[in-house]
Amino acid sequence: MSDKQYATSFDIIQISLYAVDDDVKPYANLSGDVCKQFQYFEDIMWPSYAATMVIEDSAESLISTMPIQGFEKVVVEVDDLTGTSGDNNGRYTYEFRVWNISNRVELARRQQYTLSLLSAEGLRNEGIIINKKLSGNTSGVVEKILGEYLNVPKDKMDIEASTSSITLLPTKKNPFTVIKSFLPKTISVSYTHLRAHETGRNLVCRRGREKK
């Protein structure tokens, strides 16, 4: 029997924080009493996934000794409590990068602060501009943008095949903005309402199924 009481219920198995110059060995474990609050955000109308995490640091003072200054990798392992979903029986791993530190408070040998987290592709997207002409089948162009500009491996792409072709010369637009501009111009035989978003498992560019 599932332990899942609500659709939003999940357990955090582990939260690992990595130093900027070492993406292999975790610098610290933020699970347990260190992480006081974790909020995850994912939306089919938003091209990236994100999270916020409230940290209470009373031991190492990570924000100073590490130090935490931005772009550190944070890996969150969760259990959705179904015991059955997906290939991993309900267990998933989400990789983030720290993009902001806020709400810092010091109280009696303790520090509390909020880490704002964004997927690596989402953070990378903000610093990339496409200025080259794009042309061809829409699905092929999306695959090219994700691969060449955001370094997304093919096994992390879920792109619905389309019958549309486009020719576009972007003017100082980032990859996700360009992909979103394709939505009203893309035609597929049996799908409508193209959506492009990123989950913890895949970058998705598909059309929602027609209602019967």
Side-chain angles (χ1 to χ4, degrees):
M1 182 177 176
S2 172
D3 294 325
K4 195 176 185 73
Q5 292 182 305
Y6 306 102
T8 55
S9 299
F10 67 92
D11 278 346
I12 293 178
I13 302 168
Q14 183 168 304
I15 302 175
S16 302
L17 174 67
Y18 295 74
V20 172
D21 58 355
D22 186 358
D23 275 0
V24 178
K25 183 180 179 181
Y27 184 89
N29 182 3
L30 303 182
S31 311
D33 292 336
V34 180
C35 180
K36 295 299 183 182
Q37 184 183 71
F38 179 81
Q39 291 184 299
Y40 175 79
F41 308 98
E42 182 180 312
D43 191 319
I44 64 171
M45 302 305 294
W46 192 42
S48 184
Y49 63 90
T52 58
M53 188 161 52
V54 177
I55 300 297
E56 187 170 286
D57 186 355
S58 57
E60 292 191 55
S61 186
L62 291 169
I63 199 167
S64 302
T65 59
M66 188 177 176
I68 300 176
Q69 52 193 349
F71 205 67
E72 290 81 8
K73 182 170 77 171
V74 177
V75 177
V76 180
E77 298 176 59
V78 302
D79 187 337
D80 72 3
L81 304 179
T82 64
T84 56
S85 347
D87 297 330
N88 299 316
N89 296 322
R91 293 199 170 195
Y92 300 99
T93 299
Y94 296 84
E95 183 177 320
F96 300 91
R97 294 283 175 169
V98 176
W99 72 269
N100 190 40
I101 305 165
S102 60
N103 305 326
R104 186 176 178 181
V105 178
E106 293 190 30
L107 294 169
R109 299 182 183 179
R110 299 194 317 272
Q111 292 191 76
Q112 191 172 88
Y113 47 88
T114 301
L115 297 181
S116 297
L117 311 174
L118 190 63
S119 67
E121 289 85 3
L123 192 58
R124 195 179 299 123
N125 172 74
E126 296 305 312
I128 296 174
I129 297 297
I130 300 178
N131 283 317
K132 295 195 321 186
K133 181 180 178 181
L134 302 170
S135 62
N137 178 271
T138 309
S139 302
V141 173
V142 169
E143 182 177 324
K144 182 177 180 180
I145 291 173
L146 295 179
E148 290 188 9
Y149 290 92
L150 296 178
N151 300 322
V152 179
K154 282 191 176 183
D155 61 2
K156 288 255 313 183
M157 300 182 195
D158 186 3
I159 303 172
E160 181 68 33
S162 70
T163 59
S164 306
S165 294
I166 56 107
T167 297
L168 177 70
L169 181 60
T171 54
K172 297 182 179 180
K173 294 179 180 178
N174 61 42
F176 283 147
T177 300
V178 173
I179 291 174
K180 191 173 181 179
S181 72
F182 297 162
L183 306 190
K185 306 171 185 176
T186 301
I187 300 172
S188 184
V189 176
S190 59
Y191 293 81
T192 58
H193 309 304
L194 183 68
R195 54 186 171 87
H197 74 290
E198 184 180 9
T199 71
R201 280 116 12 228
N202 292 294
L203 266 140
V204 179
C205 188
R206 300 182 66 85
R207 288 180 170 264
R209 293 186 179 276
E210 292 177 341
K211 293 181 180 179
K212 300 293 185 182

